[in-house]
Amino acid sequence: MKWIRKKRVLLVLLVSFVFLLFFNTNWMSWFYPIHYKNEIRTHADTYEVDPFLVASIIRVESNYKLSRESKMGAIGLMQLMPDTANWILEKEQMKDVTMDELKHEPDANIKIGTWYIDYLSDHFDGNPIATIAAYNAGQGNVGNWIKKGMWDGKLDTINEIPVGETRHYVQRVIYYYNQYKDIYQEF
């Protein structure tokens, strides 16, 4: 009889703990963490880019795994292609940043990636959906899709993106963006 009471007491304590834990904390952040918040916030402020967008792109590109290199050769948290990274480094005259730093240093990679998001956003007149697509497929490809009427660059026509990988990429970035906005509410 005592054993059953102890089990009930333990069960009530466990349920109470879980209840308090879930309702007094932002428990969803356990499933949708944002790493490198300071670096993201700093560079998002500098380049006037939504920090949730930067975090969402990092989540989809590398899942916050530093030093990641794709099969295609993209490097770092934001999976920058070496040619794109070199072009940005030359354009912004960042002679002190090396490709090795872009691969292994979160601050340098987030800085260059955020600059690139800002650049693409300017190119597509602030259209965040076209910007996300261009981050994956390239500015020229997305520009051609829009110019040729293959896709209009809008949220409600994502299913018309002519390349499946890019379509899926945009959907994933938007999904994480919405999750982050709901969970964190401010950055």
Side-chain angles (χ1 to χ4, degrees):
M1 200 64 161
K2 285 183 178 183
W3 177 244
I4 293 174
R5 272 194 196 132
K6 285 181 181 180
K7 280 186 171 181
R8 286 182 189 164
V9 169
L10 286 174
L11 181 62
V12 168
L13 286 173
L14 178 64
V15 169
S16 298
F17 173 75
V18 170
F19 180 81
L20 287 172
L21 185 67
F22 284 134
F23 289 103
N24 288 331
T25 64
N26 190 355
W27 62 275
M28 282 298 288
S29 66
W30 298 346
F31 301 104
Y32 298 96
I34 297 177
H35 303 285
Y36 309 107
K37 283 184 184 178
N38 291 334
E39 291 88 345
I40 292 170
R41 188 179 302 115
T42 298
H43 299 302
D45 286 346
T46 300
Y47 297 111
E48 298 178 356
V49 173
D50 186 335
F52 290 115
L53 178 59
V54 177
S56 301
I57 287 175
I58 293 172
R59 173 70 185 248
V60 172
E61 289 287 352
S62 69
N63 199 19
Y64 296 99
K65 291 181 178 121
L66 194 59
S67 303
R68 187 166 189 150
E69 186 168 342
S70 75
K71 294 174 190 171
M72 299 296 290
I75 57 172
L77 290 171
M78 297 194 74
Q79 291 291 280
L80 297 160
M81 291 300 291
D83 289 345
T84 303
N86 280 324
W87 173 76
I88 294 168
L89 292 174
E90 287 176 21
K91 187 165 180 63
E92 287 299 296
Q93 299 176 351
M94 297 180 195
K95 297 180 189 333
D96 57 326
V97 178
T98 65
M99 292 302 286
D100 194 53
E101 284 177 303
L102 287 179
K103 185 173 182 180
H104 301 292
E105 297 294 326
D107 188 64
N109 195 277
I110 293 169
K111 178 179 183 178
I112 300 301
T114 305
W115 181 93
Y116 190 48
I117 292 169
D118 179 49
Y119 170 82
L120 292 171
S121 179
D122 288 347
H123 181 79
F124 290 103
D125 300 320
N127 179 338
I129 308 305
T131 298
I132 296 166
Y135 195 91
N136 176 260
Q139 163 189 335
N141 289 331
V142 174
N144 284 334
W145 298 340
I146 293 171
K147 184 178 177 181
K148 293 178 180 177
M150 298 169 73
W151 179 51
D152 62 7
K154 295 181 182 172
L155 177 63
D156 56 344
T157 59
I158 288 173
N159 289 334
E160 295 174 14
I161 294 174
V163 176
E165 176 189 339
T166 302
R167 184 180 329 110
H168 183 65
Y169 177 85
V170 171
Q171 290 168 337
R172 290 178 61 213
V173 169
I174 291 168
Y175 171 80
Y176 284 113
Y177 178 84
N178 290 332
Q179 293 298 322
Y180 286 152
K181 291 281 282 192
D182 288 345
I183 294 166
Y184 294 96
Q185 295 167 358
E186 61 181 60
F187 207 93

